[in-house]
Amino acid sequence: MLKITDAAYLTSAVNKSQFIHTDKPIIAVSGKSNVGKSSFINMLAGRNKLARVSKEPGRTRMVNYFDFGEFLLADLPGYGFAKVSHTEKQRWAKLMQDFFADEANVTHVLALCDIRHPPTQDDKDMVHFMYVNLIPFTVIATKADKVSRAAAANGTRTIANALACGTADIIVTSSQTRQGKEDVIRRIESVLELYQENKKENTLQEET
């Protein structure tokens, strides 16, 4: 299994001129404000303070890049935070539009949803956007430790129905108990393998 041992913060981007261009695959983490993106990233890294966890939603207002060794992870701004000004929301929307406009910016998206609540319209819009634009993604249900096993199963079905995907395609996680961490890493492994295969095919096509 993929080993993540030395994850490190790289830089933050506030506009497209600052996006990182690299030969490594880039896996993005998306989700609404307060869905637990920072805690999820820290769980993957095996570190408590790699990504800053804040009690105040809407703190991530840039694309924050982290080096996970075999891939880069891009922490995207949380969406759907009502207390942000209209101008700030527009700036975030432009940043995300620019980020997804170039397929070199992202190889795969881990789309986080809170297992305790039905997906918001923003969640649905985000997943619809990825479907329409053929952006590979995986739905991650967070905060499973905060509900019973039965409630987690119900929450997973609710998310699957709202986002038009199968329950088997959703990875249930908890940053507190580390539930689902190995499943997420296995999914990332498959993403990396496909990335390398596509890279080899593209190289062969260029040579011929």
Side-chain angles (χ1 to χ4, degrees):
M1 182 180 291
L2 174 69
K3 299 295 183 182
I4 300 173
T5 57
D6 297 312
Y9 168 77
L10 285 178
T11 188
S12 298
V14 296
N15 56 56
K16 64 180 181 180
S17 67
Q18 297 177 338
F19 292 155
I20 289 182
H21 299 285
T22 174
D23 289 335
K24 291 183 179 181
I26 298 176
I27 297 176
V29 177
S30 73
K32 67 182 180 65
S33 298
N34 209 31
V35 75
K37 289 193 292 95
S38 296
S39 296
F40 174 78
I41 292 169
N42 289 337
M43 178 187 74
L44 279 185
R47 294 176 56 183
N48 293 328
K49 297 181 180 180
L50 177 63
R52 181 181 176 186
V53 178
S54 175
K55 294 181 180 179
E56 179 185 347
R59 292 287 299 182
T60 304
R61 302 185 181 186
M62 303 171 284
V63 176
N64 294 319
Y65 288 96
F66 301 87
D67 189 346
F68 272 65
E70 294 187 34
F71 65 97
L72 298 190
L73 188 145
D75 181 17
L76 306 182
Y79 49 75
F81 186 48
K83 293 183 180 180
V84 174
S85 69
H86 179 67
T87 300
E88 187 72 1
K89 286 182 180 179
Q90 286 184 315
R91 191 185 70 79
W92 291 359
K94 179 65 166 59
L95 185 65
M96 290 300 87
Q97 185 178 40
D98 289 340
F99 183 82
F100 286 109
D102 186 349
E103 63 180 15
N105 287 331
V106 59
T107 304
H108 196 89
V109 178
L110 301 177
L112 273 55
C113 291
D114 190 328
I115 201 168
R116 301 172 298 174
H117 310 294
T120 65
Q121 188 59 50
D122 287 324
D123 291 322
K124 296 176 184 178
D125 290 345
M126 183 68 191
V127 168
H128 178 71
F129 173 82
M130 291 188 288
Y131 273 130
V132 170
N133 290 278
L134 304 178
I135 300 169
F137 69 94
T138 299
V139 176
I140 307 292
T142 63
K143 305 189 179 185
D145 60 288
K146 299 185 181 299
V147 297
S148 67
R149 184 174 297 181
N154 288 334
T156 303
R157 286 193 291 270
T158 298
I159 292 171
N161 289 335
L163 302 183
C165 62
T167 56
D169 297 321
I170 299 173
I171 301 178
V172 177
T173 67
S174 164
S175 60
Q176 297 299 315
T177 66
R178 304 297 189 263
Q179 176 184 348
K181 179 178 179 178
E182 290 187 357
D183 292 330
V184 175
I185 291 178
R186 289 191 187 95
R187 182 61 56 86
I188 291 174
E189 279 185 320
S190 66
V191 170
L192 300 184
E193 290 172 0
L194 181 59
Y195 177 84
Q196 293 301 330
E197 290 175 3
N198 290 338
K199 190 174 181 180
K200 288 179 181 178
E201 289 181 5
N202 291 336
T203 301
L204 289 174
Q205 289 177 359
E206 290 175 359
E207 290 176 349
T208 56

